Amino acid sequence: LGGTKVELGSVDPQGRIVARRRIATLPQQGPQSLVERIAVEVDALRQLTPRTARLAALGICSPGPVDHLTGTLIDPPNLQGLHHTPLADLLQARLKLPVVVEHDAKAAALGDYHFGAGRGSADMVFVVVGTGVGAAIIFDGQLRRGTHNSAGEIGHTMLDINGDLCSCGNRGCVETFISGPWIIRRYAAAAGIATESISGEQISERAAAGDPLARQVLANAGEALGIAVASMAMMLDVDLFVIGGSVAKAGKLLIEPAMRAAPKHSFGSVGQRVRIVQTALHDDGPILGCAWLAQGATR
């Protein structure tokens, strides 16, 4: 469940995605509309499930903050219209299935930890960069949530106290430097074009083709990402940072500036150990993480 779209996948017990669907989120239409539209797509996935199998449970992830114990969306800044929604209860009532709700970065982190770049690592931080920015922390294979389930909200920590106004009400948040909508805004402002005339994917394509402005915008975002990673590395003493989300698809155009920046903004002994890698799972990460959680709900 993202700020702009909902990705759905049917996952078999071996961790393979066997069918997919996608719909617009449309959070302004409210909880009942979202639940009904998700239910329609889940029913479509049921029809694509082999006759010898059954749909056993639903895992769903959302931008934070989320109460994973009650399955409630609290007040995600990019999901206005869905604040304080008891999503698990609503979906369970509609679908007659066990439902587990998790923070999107945490679900994607579990996907990468069990199926992707984090395999074999004891500790890992997953940073999701898309419509919003969040992080998930894994120590010794376990998610670390914090006392109030808010650990990892790196997107709304501050890089510039005099910076641009963020959707959360503060200024200069990490999200205003590296999220997809802000990358579009910065490119459009520098190019003198309307934000509606360019997409994040097109900016990445232009950067890959050598467009100097697109490359500079992504380099600036990568540098901000590296600074954020350096701060987390200093606080958490974690070496591996996996970057996912739609913006991560820019690949080395984002990751390389981040790798150059991280050692400059942390102790040398810390920065030299830091690894920043792009997820290999991309859109599959959150789906696989949700499926891993859903599998637990059936036990």
Side-chain angles (χ1 to χ4, degrees):
L1 172 62
T4 55
K5 65 182 182 299
V6 182
E7 297 276 358
L8 300 97
S10 178
V11 182
D12 70 13
Q14 289 72 46
R16 296 174 299 201
I17 301 174
V18 297
R20 301 172 186 268
R21 307 285 290 185
R22 175 188 286 187
I23 57 173
T25 306
L26 306 177
Q28 68 278 7
Q29 293 187 6
Q32 290 298 337
S33 170
L34 176 67
V35 167
E36 186 58 34
R37 289 184 294 110
I38 288 175
V40 168
E41 299 305 318
V42 170
D43 286 340
L45 288 173
R46 286 183 201 267
Q47 301 305 312
L48 298 171
T49 301
R51 293 180 183 177
T52 55
R54 66 181 177 86
L55 195 59
L58 176 70
I60 185 165
C61 63
S62 163
V66 169
D67 185 334
H68 71 287
L69 295 176
T70 64
T72 301
L73 308 186
I74 301 176
D75 55 354
N78 297 308
L79 289 174
Q80 299 289 339
L82 298 176
H83 287 187
H84 309 293
T85 294
L87 192 58
D89 288 346
L90 293 174
L91 283 168
Q92 283 175 177
R94 174 63 176 80
L95 294 170
K96 312 303 180 189
L97 287 172
V99 177
V100 58
V101 174
E102 184 55 272
H103 186 285
D104 57 359
K106 292 180 175 67
L110 290 170
D112 246 294
Y113 188 79
H114 291 286
F115 304 104
R119 284 181 297 180
S121 298
D123 305 332
M124 184 187 92
V125 173
F126 184 89
V127 184
V128 59
V129 187
T131 304
V133 179
I137 304 160
I138 296 178
F139 285 144
D140 294 326
Q142 300 297 315
L143 283 171
R144 302 302 179 186
R145 301 177 182 277
T147 303
H148 302 290
N149 200 33
S150 295
E153 288 292 351
I154 188 65
H156 296 286
T157 59
M158 207 174 289
L159 287 183
D160 181 1
I161 62 173
N162 298 311
D164 292 303
L165 183 65
C166 181
S167 61
C168 72
N170 287 323
R171 289 190 175 275
C173 291
V174 168
E175 194 166 291
T176 68
F177 288 88
I178 66 176
S179 70
W182 278 95
I183 287 175
I184 292 171
R185 289 179 199 176
R186 292 181 187 282
Y187 181 89
I193 61 175
T195 56
E196 296 79 11
S197 66
I198 191 76
S199 69
E201 184 178 4
Q202 289 172 325
I203 293 170
S204 293
E205 290 171 352
R206 292 185 183 188
D211 179 340
L213 176 57
R215 293 180 75 89
Q216 186 60 55
V217 168
L218 286 176
N220 291 345
E223 181 180 21
L225 173 61
I227 295 170
V229 164
S231 297
M232 288 187 283
M234 291 286 287
M235 288 187 288
L236 301 173
D237 191 25
V238 172
D239 297 341
L240 177 61
F241 293 80
V242 180
I243 314 302
S246 58
V247 175
K249 293 176 183 178
K252 65 180 182 180
L253 294 166
L254 183 77
I255 301 298
E256 289 182 355
M259 280 297 299
R260 290 193 295 269
K264 297 177 183 178
H265 298 277
S266 57
F267 288 162
S269 58
V270 173
Q272 68 183 1
R273 298 194 303 264
V274 168
R275 289 186 294 139
I276 305 174
V277 301
Q278 179 186 19
T279 177
L281 299 180
H282 293 298
D283 293 342
D284 292 352
I287 290 174
L288 290 171
C290 284
W292 189 85
L293 289 163
Q295 192 174 44
T298 65
R299 297 190 185 106

